[in-house]
Amino acid sequence: MAEQVLAADGTPLKASLNRALRRQKMRALLLIAPLLLFIMLTFIIPIGQMLFRSVENQIVGDTIPRTVEALDSWDHDADAVPPAPVFDALAQDLMVAVELKEHTRLGSRLNYEMSGISSLFRKSGRKVDDIGEVYTDQFVALDPAWEEPATWVGLLADPKWIAAREAWDGTGDEPAFIMSRAAKTVLPQTASIYADFARVIQTEDNDSPAEEEPWHVVYLALYNDLTANPSLEVTGPLSGLVSSAATAVPSFETEDVVATFEGFDDDWKNPEVWETIYTYSPAYTNGYFLNSVDLQKTNEGVAWQPENEQIYLTLFWRTMLMSMTITISCILLGYPVAWMLANLPARKANMLMILVLLPFWTSLLVRTSAWKVLLQNQGVINDLLVWIGFVADDNRLALINNATGTIIAMTHILLPFMILPLYSVMQTIPVTYLRAAKSLGATNWTAFWRVYFPQSVPGIGAGSILVFILSIGYYITPEIVGGTKGVFISNRIAYHISSSLNWGLAAALGAILLAIVLALYWAYDRIVGIDNVKLGG
């Protein structure tokens, strides 16, 4: 058997080498750790959070949880609108949302799916605090104790909280309200809404539930609990108060909460409003992605958007087609310039390189605005064409506010990104190759096509990737010169981020665009090979 080779310290040589390699890898990892951490914090995590918005939909369930739960029992086929318990739940949820100023955010979210819901929630939010007042008056008329905050605390608060509050010396925040377990069992609706009332009073108003009379919807919830369970048993000093109220509620004047909401706005009669709330109540949704491809969620399943609203597939196709056109245009215009840079004497090549780099010294907005002046109907280009007789004065070319203007302006702006990779690759191609080909009998064209061009393909690949990826993400230039026919999908993403504030749809559009780019990158790697892309050397 072969003798085991040992290191200087007596350990097996193989183990010693593995330990040394691990140390080298650890040192290398520690050296790049700050960069990895920086990229993680400033790039990966923010992008991940933004893309998560494309499926996140928690605002509906968090803002109106009782309504969402009550809608599960709604028979969509039998009832045009949900039954009364759903409206009762909505009244309670909306009261909390108004106090927390969240009802407008909820309305804005649902307004993305159905126009008009935002104003519906705003209008109803201004009047919801009156719902249940008829029950408040009758409970107080039955016994004035129902108007006292102490009555509600004694009925619903956990004894531990009462003791903690009594021991509180007034400094700092009041102990957070704790609901009694017995109250949750005996008076579930009342306990639920009163817990929210106490939380809002403590956190938003910096007051105490022991000093504030409950909202009217709390009395509505108490009425519903007593009506649903008139024989409930409440122990403690307030049992007689509750028993007498349970006996009296059958004779109370009632409020039709459904009619009250319909009085706020007729849209509460519209089944589509409730369908929208129900459809988008889950915490996560594919609705943004469906909207991104001109589809929509309905109660029956996925369906196409109305024809006059189908714009995103057109924009995606236009973005891909025009980006490809811009890339090809840059190749056709940039290849001769790069060849001249690589083959001219150094002094002339340097002067030409300055002209290539000159656009980088000028603001993108200025360059784009200049093209708007040049391309317009009465602009320099059309005037020149009329002057030389190429077009008639009454038949000027439409070069602005369309796809033509976008392609011309973006080709000019992105041309340096094609020239520079081509130039760096062409510089490495020895001129002796062409001379050798010609000495063997090849024509100028054959020498170029069979010898020179194949060696420049890596530069074309690098420039194409740069120009194509940059072009599909441009939105300033298409916005200024593209009009309605020359804008890209990136313009719509920018609109939803900065104007409509529909970040979920913007994230979904961005995610689809990212997936398309990655798919094209994969296809390019399979067909051409990413290893063949070079920037020189």
Side-chain angles (χ1 to χ4, degrees):
M1 186 170 65
E3 183 178 353
Q4 188 177 31
V5 181
L6 302 178
D9 58 358
T11 60
L13 181 59
K14 185 176 181 180
S16 180
L17 290 174
N18 289 336
R19 184 166 61 248
L21 288 174
R22 283 196 299 271
R23 290 174 180 172
Q24 289 181 353
K25 291 179 180 179
M26 185 60 66
R27 282 196 294 267
L29 180 61
L30 291 176
L31 286 174
I32 65 172
L35 177 60
L36 289 176
L37 183 61
F38 176 79
I39 294 175
M40 182 72 70
L41 294 177
T42 62
F43 184 73
I44 297 178
I45 293 178
I47 288 180
Q49 289 178 334
M50 185 61 188
L51 294 179
F52 176 71
R53 289 178 175 270
S54 63
V55 294
E56 187 268 336
N57 190 53
Q58 297 172 348
I59 185 173
V60 180
D62 290 346
T63 307
I64 51 173
R66 300 175 184 85
T67 308
V68 169
E69 182 179 355
L71 280 173
D72 288 335
S73 60
W74 175 31
D75 189 343
H76 302 254
D77 297 326
D79 302 318
V81 295
V86 175
F87 283 88
D88 290 347
L90 178 62
Q92 298 172 28
D93 286 333
L94 198 54
M95 185 67 209
V96 178
V98 167
E99 293 293 326
L100 297 176
K101 299 178 176 61
E102 293 179 346
H103 65 300
T104 54
R105 291 180 57 242
L106 173 63
S108 298
R109 164 65 187 97
L110 294 174
N111 202 71
Y112 300 148
E113 314 302 336
M114 181 180 177
S115 180
I117 292 188
S118 179
S119 61
L120 177 64
F121 274 93
R122 284 199 304 270
K123 185 185 297 184
S124 301
R126 291 192 292 266
K127 304 174 182 179
V128 70
D129 58 344
D130 292 332
I131 295 179
E133 185 175 5
V134 63
Y135 299 109
T136 302
D137 295 339
Q138 292 178 91
F139 274 110
V140 172
L142 182 65
D143 194 317
W146 285 114
E147 195 174 15
E148 298 297 327
T151 300
W152 293 93
V153 170
L155 179 65
L156 301 173
D158 191 286
K160 294 180 181 179
W161 181 80
I162 297 175
R165 185 178 184 280
E166 291 176 351
W168 176 51
D169 59 3
T171 59
D173 294 332
E174 181 184 57
F177 181 82
I178 303 175
M179 179 63 62
S180 166
R181 290 184 179 180
K184 292 180 182 179
T185 303
V186 179
L187 301 168
Q189 278 197 44
T190 309
S192 176
I193 186 60
Y194 188 85
D196 282 339
F197 160 77
R199 173 172 58 87
V200 170
I201 288 296
Q202 288 187 313
T203 59
E204 300 298 317
D205 301 336
N206 292 321
D207 288 325
S208 172
E211 299 173 357
E212 295 291 330
E213 183 181 0
W215 301 323
H216 294 313
V217 290
V218 177
Y219 291 90
L220 168 62
L222 178 61
Y223 171 82
N224 289 336
D225 281 332
L226 295 178
T227 302
N229 187 14
S231 60
L232 56 83
E233 296 182 1
V234 176
T235 59
L238 298 175
S239 58
L241 182 67
V242 176
S243 297
S244 61
T247 304
V249 292
S251 60
F252 274 14
E253 177 188 353
T254 60
E255 177 182 9
D256 188 345
V257 179
V258 177
T260 301
F261 270 101
E262 292 174 354
F264 293 164
D265 196 302
D266 286 339
D267 281 346
W268 288 116
K269 301 177 184 178
N270 187 353
E272 292 185 19
V273 171
W274 291 101
E275 291 287 359
T276 302
I277 295 174
Y278 179 77
T279 301
Y280 291 92
S281 60
Y284 301 98
T285 181
N286 61 354
Y288 290 124
F289 280 100
L290 293 176
N291 291 342
S292 298
V293 291
D294 295 329
L295 297 172
Q296 62 180 335
K297 293 179 67 174
T298 66
N299 189 42
E300 290 78 22
V302 177
W304 286 102
Q305 294 274 10
E307 188 172 350
N308 61 339
E309 297 179 15
Q310 296 179 17
I311 60 172
Y312 293 115
L313 288 178
T314 300
L315 285 175
F316 274 116
W317 171 247
R318 180 190 299 167
T319 299
M320 295 299 110
L321 182 62
M322 291 178 62
S323 296
M324 189 64 68
T325 304
I326 292 166
T327 302
I328 295 173
S329 300
C330 287
I331 294 173
L332 296 177
L333 294 174
Y335 197 95
V337 177
W339 184 87
M340 292 177 60
L341 284 170
N343 292 278
L344 282 174
R347 186 172 181 178
K348 294 182 179 179
N350 290 338
M351 181 60 67
L352 188 58
M353 179 61 73
I354 292 175
L355 296 178
V356 171
L357 296 177
L358 189 61
F360 287 129
W361 305 339
T362 308
S363 167
L364 172 63
L365 189 59
V366 172
R367 283 180 281 161
T368 304
S369 300
W371 275 111
K372 189 174 182 67
V373 174
L374 291 171
L375 296 173
Q376 61 184 322
N377 190 258
Q378 300 296 326
V380 176
I381 295 177
N382 263 307
D383 285 346
L384 179 61
L385 294 176
V386 170
W387 181 71
I388 64 177
F390 187 80
V391 297
D393 187 44
D394 58 350
N395 192 30
R396 292 174 175 246
L397 300 180
L399 301 176
I400 197 69
N401 295 330
N402 52 29
T404 303
T406 300
I407 291 173
I408 293 174
M410 289 188 61
T411 298
H412 167 256
I413 290 170
L414 296 176
L415 189 57
F417 294 97
M418 178 64 72
I419 294 174
L420 294 176
L422 280 170
Y423 168 65
S424 64
V425 171
M426 289 178 178
Q427 267 194 322
T428 66
I429 302 175
V431 294
T432 55
Y433 287 4
L434 287 176
R435 294 172 186 168
K438 291 177 182 179
S439 68
L440 293 173
T443 63
N444 288 336
W445 171 253
T446 302
F448 168 77
W449 186 250
R450 299 288 298 275
V451 177
Y452 192 87
F453 182 79
Q455 296 182 80
S456 66
V457 168
I460 296 177
S464 298
I465 290 177
L466 279 174
V467 171
F468 184 80
I469 292 179
L470 286 173
S471 63
I472 62 175
Y474 258 59
Y475 67 92
I476 294 178
T477 302
E479 184 71 24
I480 294 176
V481 301
T484 58
K485 300 295 185 181
V487 295
F488 288 2
I489 192 66
S490 51
N491 294 96
R492 204 64 186 171
I493 295 174
Y495 166 75
H496 287 306
I497 289 178
S498 60
S499 298
S500 73
L501 301 182
N502 190 350
W503 286 16
L505 182 55
L509 292 170
I512 293 175
L513 191 60
L514 176 62
I516 292 174
V517 171
L518 292 177
L520 292 174
Y521 183 84
W522 175 84
Y524 183 91
D525 183 40
R526 298 285 294 180
I527 297 171
V528 179
I530 201 64
D531 293 336
N532 294 324
V533 174
K534 296 180 181 177
L535 293 174

